Amino acid sequence: MNYKKQEIKKGINLHTIKTDKFKTNLLAVFLTMPLTRETVTIQSLIPAVLTRGSKNMKTADEISKSLEEMYGADFDCGIDKMGDNQVLKFYLEVLDNNYLPENKDLLNEAIDKLFDIIFNPLVDNDEFKEEYVNSEKEKLRQIIEGKIDNKASYAYIRCLEEMYKDKPYGLYKYGYVEDLDDIDSKKLYKAYKDVINNCKMDIFISGQIPEDINKSIEQKLQNINEREAKYIVNEKEENKKQDEKIIKEEMDVAQGKLVMGLNVDVNTKEARYVALVYNAIFGGIPTSKLFQNVREKASLAYTASSSYLRQKNNIFVKCGIEIENYEKAVKIIKEQLEDMKKGNFTDEDIESAKNNIIAVVKCIPDEQDTSITYYFGQELSKFKMEFDEYSENIQKVTKQQIVDLAQNVYIDTIYFLKGVTNGDN
Amino acid sequence: MEIIENSKVKEKVYVEKVENGLTIMVIPKKNIQKKYVIFGTHFGSLDNEFVMPNNNEKIKIPDGVAHFLEHKMFEQENGTNSLDTLSSLGVDANAYTTNDHTAYLFEATDNFYEALDELMDYVQHPYFTDENVEKEKGIIAQEIRMYDDQPSWQVYMNAMQCMYNNSAIKIDIAGTVESINKINKEVLYNCYNTFYHPSNMVMVLCGDFVPEEIIKEVKNRLINKELQGEIKRIYPEEPNEIKQKEITVNMEVSNPLYVIGFKDIPKCKNIVKKHIAIKILLDIIIGESSKLFKDLYEKGDILNAPDLDYEFSDEYAHILISGQAREPKIIYNKIKEEIENIKNEGINKEDFERIKKKIYGNYITEYNSISNIARNFLADYLKGINEFDYIEEYPQVTLEYTTQILKEVFNEEKMVLSVVKGK
């Protein structure tokens, strides 16, 4: 893969991924700031207000119309939590010039549009347009309140909140309703300035990229200052063993949602590879212990799986079960953890786990947004590795390493979202 | 072998019809790591009553059989499960069931031929026992319960309830906890023998392939099957009229979810052209750059640009506008008014040309992902459409034609509203 990183200015990087596999070019701008209780809500409001209008495209429908003119250039923005950082993400996907029915340089135009939205907001007298701010505040309130709508993800959010009580990672990425009243157009503009001037800024371009792109980006960003980017490097978490917390909450659900948060208390250099293989055997793939025992043998669930969160060295188990099967399911899951400790898995299990992980890594360059996410994840953890080397490291994991790691996997929090019960049971 | 080329998107499809009736389609993609294979049968949740070609016997089956059968195909006589076997190879395998087809697929980087062996082996060799059928009921019941908790699924199904009187489209693809309890191994074998015949199936392959070679490999893995006559499918008569105007249910949600539907008449003779025109119209009426969306958004009546869809087969056709809004009835009324306005004033030519450009970009972008390509070619083939037709027909969609579709399809008496709101 033709990946290159160049520093445009201190704190601002341009990442290019040259490829001719796609019909489109994908641009992404990521603004990264530390995640804090004080800033989480106000910062999450920024992308929404920026996309309401810029100096050159004053309204949202002007923006939409100009993107439609560009053969439906696809704009997207959002908020992400990556380790202890909050990331404001902006994407624009445009057809590559080779697939246009006319002769045009759409890539250059796309960069200008995207930068116009992010860096050239509609501002009057040091404040955003009040009408835009108020209506986006209301929308954000609805988004935050909407977290209960998807019960499975709500159970996961609640489990994280309990596991990371009073810590940045426990924060909801969109923030909190109670902060909204205090936000006005002046304060929001101040927060915006703070982000633009101090964030870690990463610009990604994937596709058929001209040679002189760095010059042209440099020129387009000449008014943006260099900075001592303040962000939190994602390093491995120190997860100490703790007493297991059990939290049960009620909501009007037909099916109970069980989420179990596990700590992996191993911090060796190889831990990330070993933990990935461990997770695949335990609950990551269809041959895994969870899928086989919770679903296939006990018929307790349709969804029963686990995933490894590298940024925090956690494994999360997720299951949808009948409410009365809670004890049964927890018992089976705990038995699987014990089995992992005892090394009750075969060489074929290890082989199949590795095959699955390597296949996922190999496919990363097949999708533009996935490769951008891969390189950006590395950027935030100051860890550089190309796909081949990554696969080799997975291949090297031994059974002994997995069993050793298993001795240091602890249940931190069990969260269960169950139906509303009447009376006192 | 037939080769169809599209110069705009710069792709080719190789189509081979095997003697036993199977259609194989290959879309070669250079320099892609992944190879994607999807094997589908024209058997979905709508196919609830049919005449079996081998004995001319007519049968009616419980709701949810196509989906149940999909779950059970993975189990092998030697006690292994093909999903496990494929997974052990490092291959991402899956299956899904829709209203009109069932598909088995995998994507592989390594071990491709081993995976192809397994896929073709398990889809061609069913193994159902009383015991393994019984065991699956618990799992599928949990799958159904999972959907019971998804407001977006509920609001969609209720829109079907509003529009359709008799068609099985109003029944959940997975069936109900009661209906799946009636399923036994005999029902599964009857359906398998009827619908999993090569003449009722298609395989699509997308990735770095040499078409002639891969087609030969697929043919070598086909088992012999006697030719089979046409399957007579019996569908309930569905009137053109909607069943009811509105359904509202309560669930624990923050903001109401809505689906606004327009029931359309299926079996249109140039469905691709109509589909393009409907996409353009939906964007003109309530797309992100429309005046109506701007007004609703600025007033805070609507949270996001709605999802806009046109779904169809030979048995059904409908438009869906879905999203979240404080007061769905307002959205419903405003859309109704806006359609009347556009009908009276005519479609704005500038809007029309601009949206048409956007839709062109969308069609081309579909070819970025080999899974999209393979799935689209498969689903469209089973509807009698070649996926390239969307790009070919595109220039033929004129303002006049689009105006005619507006008048034909977007009518108030065919319009329904489904809402899920908080308690």
Side-chain angles (χ1 to χ4, degrees):
Chain A
M1 165 131 327
N2 279 312
Y3 166 72
K4 225 161 69 187
K5 175 184 160 187
Q6 296 153 277
E7 189 175 69
I8 295 281
K9 275 177 202 172
K10 198 160 182 238
I12 304 177
N13 295 307
L14 171 67
H15 310 253
T16 51
I17 305 168
K18 271 199 157 174
T19 163
D20 59 2
K21 285 195 236 181
F22 304 100
K23 311 289 177 195
T24 51
N25 298 309
L26 182 60
L27 308 171
V29 176
F30 300 144
L31 312 178
T32 307
M33 292 285 276
L35 184 60
T36 70
R37 179 64 191 85
E38 291 69 39
T39 54
V40 62
T41 314
I42 196 162
Q43 282 180 182
S44 86
L45 193 55
I46 291 171
V49 171
L50 291 181
T51 53
R52 289 298 298 272
S54 69
K55 280 225 172 68
N56 293 315
M57 300 178 283
K58 294 204 165 35
T59 61
D61 72 305
E62 215 173 300
I63 295 176
S64 300
K65 279 178 182 158
S66 82
L67 297 177
E68 285 169 355
E69 273 305 338
M70 297 165 69
Y71 294 90
D74 192 14
F75 173 81
D76 198 8
C77 67
I79 305 293
D80 218 345
K81 179 164 71 174
M82 295 186 74
D84 289 343
N85 296 297
Q86 189 181 27
V87 185
L88 316 190
K89 295 183 154 183
F90 303 85
Y91 292 90
L92 190 60
E93 183 187 61
V94 278
L95 282 195
D96 182 71
N97 297 340
N98 288 315
Y99 298 96
L100 295 179
E102 59 180 324
N103 220 337
K104 227 179 164 185
D105 183 10
L106 219 47
L107 177 60
N108 191 48
E109 199 181 331
I111 298 172
D112 286 340
K113 296 276 185 221
L114 188 61
F115 283 5
D116 191 50
I117 293 170
I118 301 169
F119 302 117
N120 200 17
L122 187 57
V123 178
D124 186 24
N125 212 359
D126 272 352
E127 54 184 286
F128 285 116
K129 206 169 164 180
E130 201 183 338
E131 178 203 339
Y132 291 173
V133 174
N134 287 340
S135 95
E136 292 310 320
K137 268 167 68 177
E138 171 57 20
K139 302 263 155 45
L140 184 60
R141 187 183 62 75
Q142 296 182 28
I143 289 171
I144 298 169
E145 286 170 353
K147 73 177 162 189
I148 60 161
D149 293 354
N150 182 328
K151 312 300 175 214
S153 72
Y154 176 71
Y156 176 61
I157 292 168
R158 282 290 301 123
C159 184
L160 278 182
E161 278 176 358
E162 292 295 334
M163 260 177 107
Y164 288 93
K165 227 175 202 156
D166 305 320
K167 290 185 190 152
Y169 203 70
L171 295 170
Y172 186 47
K173 65 177 182 179
Y174 287 111
Y176 299 87
V177 171
E178 62 265 30
D179 300 351
L180 287 170
D181 277 348
D182 193 44
I183 299 173
D184 61 28
S185 354
K186 256 206 165 63
K187 284 181 185 159
L188 187 65
Y189 185 62
K190 205 168 152 275
Y192 165 80
K193 289 293 255 192
D194 186 38
V195 170
I196 291 295
N197 291 327
N198 299 305
C199 72
K200 171 172 171 46
M201 197 180 290
D202 292 277
I203 298 157
F204 283 82
I205 308 181
S206 158
Q208 312 205 25
I209 307 165
E211 285 307 324
D212 59 347
I213 190 80
N214 52 329
K215 290 216 176 59
S216 118
I217 297 282
E218 232 169 276
Q219 195 265 324
K220 289 176 207 285
L221 291 181
Q222 54 181 331
N223 295 329
I224 307 290
N225 61 297
E226 56 172 42
R227 75 272 324 276
E228 208 59 62
K230 48 172 187 182
Y231 74 104
I232 315 291
V233 177
N234 283 330
E235 279 163 328
K236 277 188 223 92
E237 195 84 359
E238 294 285 333
N239 286 327
K240 288 281 159 271
K241 185 180 179 181
Q242 295 193 342
D243 287 339
E244 135 188 349
K245 275 180 277 183
I246 301 175
I247 289 136
K248 294 183 182 179
E249 288 179 335
E250 292 187 348
M251 201 186 253
D252 183 17
V253 289
Q255 185 188 54
K257 318 288 175 197
L258 174 65
V259 181
M260 215 183 256
L262 312 175
N263 283 329
V264 182
D265 187 16
V266 181
N267 253 333
T268 57
K269 205 160 90 277
E270 303 79 29
R272 67 163 71 205
Y273 312 110
V274 182
L276 272 173
V277 179
Y278 172 98
N279 176 64
I281 299 170
F282 172 61
I285 56 176
T287 49
S288 68
K289 291 187 174 294
L290 288 183
F291 195 88
Q292 291 301 321
N293 291 291
V294 180
R295 171 171 156 147
E296 295 295 315
K297 291 212 183 87
S299 290
L300 289 182
Y302 170 70
T303 53
S305 66
S306 70
S307 53
Y308 174 58
L309 178 70
R310 188 186 46 72
Q311 298 154 9
K312 287 284 155 191
N313 225 358
N314 291 134
I315 288 173
F316 289 94
V317 176
K318 296 175 193 168
C319 283
I321 51 172
E322 284 299 318
I323 289 144
E324 70 262 23
N325 285 334
Y326 170 79
E327 299 293 341
K328 249 192 241 170
V330 170
K331 183 165 167 278
I332 296 175
I333 296 167
K334 286 185 172 174
E335 284 165 6
Q336 307 318 307
L337 287 169
E338 283 308 307
D339 254 19
M340 293 300 296
K341 279 187 190 166
K342 291 183 198 138
N344 284 341
F345 48 88
T346 63
D347 288 347
E348 286 79 52
D349 290 332
I350 302 175
E351 192 58 31
S352 134
K354 289 180 178 175
N355 282 342
N356 271 274
I357 298 164
I358 291 168
V360 171
V361 175
K362 275 194 175 171
C363 292
I364 292 171
D366 284 351
E367 282 166 9
Q368 284 176 301
D369 55 342
T370 315
S371 21
I372 289 177
T373 306
Y374 176 82
Y375 288 113
F376 183 54
Q378 294 202 346
E379 176 69 27
L380 287 188
S381 53
K382 293 200 169 153
F383 163 91
K384 293 276 163 305
M385 193 172 285
E386 275 301 330
F387 310 119
D388 290 348
E389 200 186 345
Y390 204 109
S391 299
E392 277 163 31
N393 283 314
I394 293 290
Q395 208 56 272
K396 279 186 208 148
V397 173
T398 64
K399 178 158 183 179
Q400 194 52 51
Q401 287 176 311
I402 302 168
V403 175
D404 289 347
L405 183 124
Q407 312 307 317
N408 297 294
V409 175
Y410 309 108
I411 297 178
D412 181 289
T413 302
I414 301 177
Y415 178 85
F416 189 52
L417 185 65
K418 56 182 196 157
V420 180
T421 45
N422 299 317
D424 48 13
N425 50 337
Chain B
M1 185 171 62
E2 190 190 359
I3 305 170
I4 308 165
E5 188 172 359
N6 187 288
S7 61
K8 297 196 182 78
V9 73
K10 301 185 172 59
E11 302 287 355
K12 282 182 198 166
V13 56
Y14 296 72
V15 187
E16 171 88 353
K17 192 104 190 162
V18 185
E19 295 91 45
N20 68 11
L22 178 72
T23 300
I24 306 171
M25 299 170 106
V26 182
I27 303 104
K29 281 285 239 183
K30 285 264 170 274
N31 300 321
I32 293 279
Q33 304 290 320
K34 235 183 333 200
K35 292 182 168 71
Y36 195 100
V37 182
I38 182 163
F39 197 6
T41 165
H42 190 187
F43 176 43
S45 62
L46 293 188
D47 302 297
N48 272 347
E49 198 177 359
F50 51 89
V51 179
M52 293 186 281
N54 53 352
N55 59 8
N56 272 323
E57 197 184 308
K58 183 169 123 177
I59 61 166
K60 199 165 164 42
I61 56 174
D63 293 327
V65 172
H67 172 259
F68 202 104
L69 186 54
E70 172 226 303
H71 270 237
K72 284 328 300 172
M73 285 308 297
F74 290 97
E75 224 139 328
Q76 297 303 299
E77 195 167 357
N78 62 11
T80 61
N81 182 303
S82 292
L83 194 61
D84 299 349
T85 311
L86 287 164
S87 176
S88 300
L89 291 169
V91 163
D92 193 2
N94 214 333
Y96 62 88
T97 307
T98 72
N99 294 314
D100 65 357
H101 71 272
T102 312
Y104 303 86
L105 59 100
F106 73 80
E107 44 185 274
T109 48
D110 296 316
N111 301 324
F112 173 78
Y113 283 109
E114 288 88 340
L116 185 66
D117 283 339
E118 187 65 29
L119 172 77
M120 293 193 62
D121 186 53
Y122 87 79
V123 177
Q124 296 184 98
H125 295 98
Y127 177 67
F128 310 134
T129 64
D130 292 330
E131 197 199 348
N132 75 23
V133 169
E134 226 29 64
K135 187 207 79 177
E136 204 66 25
K137 290 178 181 172
I139 297 171
I140 294 179
Q142 286 311 311
E143 189 179 359
I144 294 169
R145 302 279 271 167
M146 177 180 81
Y147 283 109
D148 284 346
D149 278 342
Q150 289 178 3
S152 54
W153 182 249
Q154 294 307 315
V155 75
Y156 170 84
M157 284 314 295
N158 284 339
M160 299 299 135
Q161 292 289 343
C162 286
M163 286 187 283
Y164 293 92
N165 299 272
N166 309 318
S167 170
I169 186 137
K170 51 195 269 181
I171 297 156
D172 198 318
I173 289 167
T176 61
V177 176
E178 296 73 46
S179 76
I180 61 167
N181 271 315
K182 294 183 204 135
I183 296 173
N184 56 38
K185 71 169 197 267
E186 286 72 31
V187 176
L188 297 183
Y189 275 116
N190 280 335
C191 291
Y192 181 85
N193 292 331
T194 304
F195 293 104
Y196 283 64
H197 188 273
S199 57
N200 193 48
M201 298 181 79
V202 54
M203 183 185 281
V204 183
L205 303 100
C206 187
D208 203 345
F209 293 114
V210 177
E212 293 78 6
E213 282 171 19
I214 187 67
I215 287 171
K216 213 170 121 199
E217 293 285 350
V218 170
K219 281 183 175 171
N220 287 341
R221 288 167 174 79
L222 285 173
I223 60 167
N224 278 328
K225 267 202 181 167
E226 280 180 31
L227 287 177
Q228 172 182 281
E230 210 184 319
I231 306 161
K232 193 169 170 353
R233 301 162 198 253
I234 300 152
Y235 299 108
E237 190 71 31
E238 176 64 39
N240 291 339
E241 291 73 37
I242 59 169
K243 178 165 177 273
Q244 70 188 90
K245 205 69 195 155
E246 203 175 323
I247 295 181
T248 298
V249 295
N250 296 307
M251 286 176 85
E252 197 146 343
V253 291
S254 58
N255 234 330
L257 284 80
Y258 66 87
V259 171
I260 294 165
F262 290 87
K263 188 177 183 181
D264 188 19
I265 300 166
K267 297 189 180 94
C268 157
K269 67 175 188 304
N270 192 343
I271 188 70
V272 169
K273 197 172 165 190
K274 183 174 181 179
H275 190 175
I276 300 170
I278 286 176
K279 277 182 83 137
I280 296 174
L281 285 165
L282 283 167
D283 262 324
I284 289 176
I285 296 163
I286 183 122
E288 267 174 276
S289 66
S290 66
K291 190 178 164 301
L292 177 57
F293 175 67
K294 180 174 183 265
D295 292 348
L296 291 169
Y297 191 88
E298 281 172 4
K299 284 203 196 93
D301 284 332
I302 205 167
L303 191 53
N304 279 315
D307 288 331
L308 308 171
D309 285 302
Y310 183 55
E311 298 182 332
F312 59 88
S313 80
D314 275 351
E315 296 309 311
Y316 62 86
H318 49 250
I319 288 161
L320 301 173
I321 299 171
S322 39
Q324 274 188 297
R326 232 167 16 196
E327 191 38 82
K329 193 82 200 181
I330 296 179
I331 314 295
Y332 178 94
N333 286 329
K334 292 281 178 187
I335 287 178
K336 192 174 81 183
E337 282 167 28
E338 183 63 10
I339 289 168
E340 281 317 303
N341 289 341
I342 300 175
K343 278 182 184 170
N344 293 333
E345 289 160 19
I347 298 168
N348 178 303
K349 195 164 164 38
E350 208 176 280
D351 289 345
F352 177 78
E353 294 301 337
R354 193 184 65 247
I355 299 291
K356 225 181 133 177
K357 275 189 174 174
K358 170 192 166 183
I359 288 184
Y360 180 83
N362 292 350
Y363 285 132
I364 301 284
T365 306
E366 285 287 317
Y367 289 84
N368 261 353
S369 136
I370 63 165
S371 51
N372 275 351
I373 298 173
R375 286 170 81 139
N376 288 345
F377 267 89
L378 180 110
D380 279 343
Y381 173 82
L382 294 172
K383 290 182 182 359
I385 298 169
N386 174 339
E387 184 66 16
F388 286 152
D389 291 351
Y390 281 99
I391 301 171
E392 296 294 337
E393 280 293 325
Y394 167 85
Q396 271 72 262
V397 180
T398 60
L399 186 64
E400 294 66 39
Y401 175 77
T402 307
T403 307
Q404 178 200 326
I405 295 295
L406 174 70
K407 288 181 179 151
E408 271 173 33
V409 181
F410 289 81
N411 289 312
E412 200 206 328
E413 69 272 15
K414 297 290 183 68
M415 197 175 170
V416 302
L417 173 65
S418 162
V419 176
V420 168
K421 61 177 190 185
K423 295 192 168 175

